[in-house]
Amino acid sequence: MFKDSQAFSGFSTNDIEKTKQFYGEILGVEIKADKDTMGAVVLLLGTGGSVYIYPKEDHVPATFTVLNFPVGDIDKAFDKLTEKGVVFERYEGMTDEKGIARGLANNYGPDIAWFKDPAGNILSILNNG
């Protein structure tokens, strides 16, 4: 039924201007934000997919990862984002001293690091090796 559907995902923000700046300037994602998006920011992803981030007055940040960015070198991406002011989450017993969960070395999934967007939604960078 949905095999050929152009499905997309979406989540909310409490500040659309900060959202545009963060995703466009800090993360370097191509964005679309105009009258056709009905107030939302649309992230145009390299895979041809898209994500809608829409304004919501009573926004509550997601308590789970809403968007994952695969990267070729997690340490390099981590360092570049840190230089741009991104603060990574630390999870006791899960992330190393840098803030990366080293799943590949432990045969337990990808290497992954989590951070939040300006609205508090959880994002990640991950490296599958």
Side-chain angles (χ1 to χ4, degrees):
M1 179 174 187
F2 296 113
K3 181 179 131 189
D4 296 320
S5 175
Q6 295 289 325
F8 62 90
S9 183
F11 52 90
S12 67
T13 183
N14 57 355
D15 189 324
I16 206 75
E17 291 305 317
K18 283 184 182 175
T19 297
K20 287 180 200 176
Q21 189 270 332
F22 180 77
Y23 285 91
E25 295 176 26
I26 302 295
L27 299 186
V29 175
E30 183 179 352
I31 64 169
K32 178 179 180 184
D34 57 31
K35 63 180 175 60
D36 295 335
T37 63
M38 298 179 292
V41 169
V42 180
L43 307 181
L44 303 172
L45 305 174
T47 60
S50 61
V51 175
Y52 281 66
I53 306 174
Y54 53 90
K56 187 174 181 208
E57 271 187 43
D58 60 347
H59 164 76
V60 175
T63 58
F64 51 88
T65 308
V66 296
L67 190 57
N68 299 287
F69 291 97
V71 296
D73 183 329
I74 194 165
D75 286 284
K76 186 182 280 187
F78 185 102
D79 293 344
K80 283 185 178 183
L81 289 172
T82 300
E83 288 171 13
K84 291 183 174 194
V86 172
V87 176
F88 284 84
E89 300 297 300
R90 302 224 189 289
Y91 298 110
E92 178 124 10
M94 193 173 194
T95 54
D96 64 14
E97 63 284 344
K98 187 172 187 175
I100 300 174
R102 304 288 179 176
L104 290 173
N106 297 304
N107 292 320
Y108 191 71
D111 292 346
I112 186 166
W114 296 270
F115 59 102
K116 293 180 179 177
D117 73 4
N121 296 305
I122 300 171
L123 313 174
S124 83
I125 53 173
L126 58 97
N127 185 354
N128 287 316

